[in-house]
Amino acid sequence: MKVLVIGLGGVTNGGKTTLAEELKKMLPNCDIISQDDFFKPESEVETDERGFKLYDVLDALYMDEMVKSIRNWMKSPTSSGVVTQEPQNTCDNLKDTEDVYILIVEGFLLYNYEPLNELWNRRYFLTLPYEECKRRRSTRVYQPADTPGYFDGHVWPMYLKYKNELEENASNIVYLDGTKSQEELLSCVYSDIIQELKKLREGNQRVTA
């Protein structure tokens, strides 16, 4: 049994969750872990001098718990509740992948936490220009709700900070343009993951030969 751990990170409102859910429908033995499920309760999230709740930083998340959840899945993907239904478009590309289990981890802050970085087989990062990101963010309802000035005062500066860190320290990241259509993004990432599955399969065949 082989596992493939895919990171789907990037900007807020970049389309990460939608893309992850569409990929799950198309890939065999695929499960999703969402970083949003590891936010600390509001009472434990720091507030700065402007009254902004600092949600867009690593300290706002139970990152150790997240790593533990991913490692537990990797040890035993079949007991994780993953649905091993047939993908929607079974094709020759997916033959001989019954013993491969795929985990998609989606979130806005995946690649700036070192214990996570040793787990990825493939990493994607969705980007958006400032205006488009702000427009999309304004259409979403958050709990707690964004306060006036929150996007410009906290969300966007933290995105730029962590993205710059990423570009300085990380390699092998595939950057995706979040302004492209969902179909285009899905096609691009799906094709790439299929190539990873082929590599796994060929590796298996060499080992058993």
Side-chain angles (χ1 to χ4, degrees):
M1 186 176 68
K2 295 270 187 182
V3 297
L4 201 63
V5 181
I6 309 289
L8 195 53
V11 68
T12 177
N13 291 277
K16 301 178 293 294
T17 305
T18 305
L19 186 53
E21 286 168 355
E22 289 302 313
L23 284 165
K24 182 177 178 179
K25 292 176 193 171
M26 296 174 71
L27 293 165
N29 307 334
C30 186
D31 207 359
I32 299 172
I33 286 178
S34 174
Q35 190 172 37
D36 284 358
D37 293 336
F38 296 89
F39 271 114
K40 293 176 180 176
E42 189 180 353
S43 58
E44 290 181 37
V45 175
E46 283 187 45
T47 305
D48 72 3
E49 67 281 356
R50 298 163 298 178
F52 291 150
K53 281 281 180 185
L54 304 182
Y55 273 105
D56 286 57
V57 298
L58 286 168
D59 283 346
L61 296 145
Y62 292 121
M63 292 302 294
D64 289 348
E65 288 296 314
M66 186 173 174
V67 173
K68 197 159 102 182
S69 292
I70 295 169
R71 286 192 178 281
N72 286 342
W73 182 93
M74 290 170 75
K75 279 183 211 152
S76 183
T78 52
S79 63
S80 66
V82 62
V83 179
T84 57
Q85 64 197 31
E86 283 294 304
Q88 283 180 351
N89 58 341
T90 303
C91 60
D92 289 343
N93 286 329
L94 294 175
K95 283 181 180 168
D96 305 320
T97 56
E98 294 85 358
D99 61 340
V100 177
Y101 287 80
I102 301 168
L103 180 64
I104 297 172
V105 183
E106 63 94 7
F108 71 108
L109 209 48
L110 298 182
Y111 311 132
N112 302 76
Y113 187 68
E114 204 48 49
L116 270 183
N117 283 336
E118 59 199 55
L119 305 180
W120 310 117
N121 293 100
R122 210 81 178 98
R123 299 193 282 181
Y124 303 95
F125 190 94
L126 279 150
T127 63
L128 281 177
Y130 165 82
E131 290 294 347
E132 176 61 13
C133 186
K134 188 171 185 176
R135 184 192 70 75
R136 291 189 192 182
R137 178 95 182 189
S138 70
T139 66
R140 291 272 294 276
V141 177
Y142 288 91
Q143 199 58 46
D146 282 358
T147 51
Y150 189 67
F151 181 84
D152 288 312
H154 176 60
V155 176
W156 189 253
M158 286 302 101
Y159 163 66
L160 293 180
K161 172 183 180 288
Y162 283 117
K163 183 169 177 279
N164 288 339
E165 273 181 27
L166 190 61
E167 287 164 348
E168 283 172 19
N169 302 315
S171 57
N172 300 322
I173 291 178
V174 179
Y175 289 91
L176 302 169
D177 179 356
T179 63
K180 289 186 174 174
S181 70
Q182 275 295 335
E183 291 77 15
E184 205 172 342
L185 289 168
L186 182 61
S187 173
C188 169
V189 177
Y190 175 75
S191 301
D192 202 49
I193 293 172
I194 291 298
Q195 291 306 311
E196 287 296 306
L197 287 171
K198 277 185 184 170
K199 282 186 212 166
L200 265 182
R201 190 170 58 200
E202 285 160 10
N204 281 353
Q205 285 167 349
R206 280 197 294 273
V207 168
T208 54

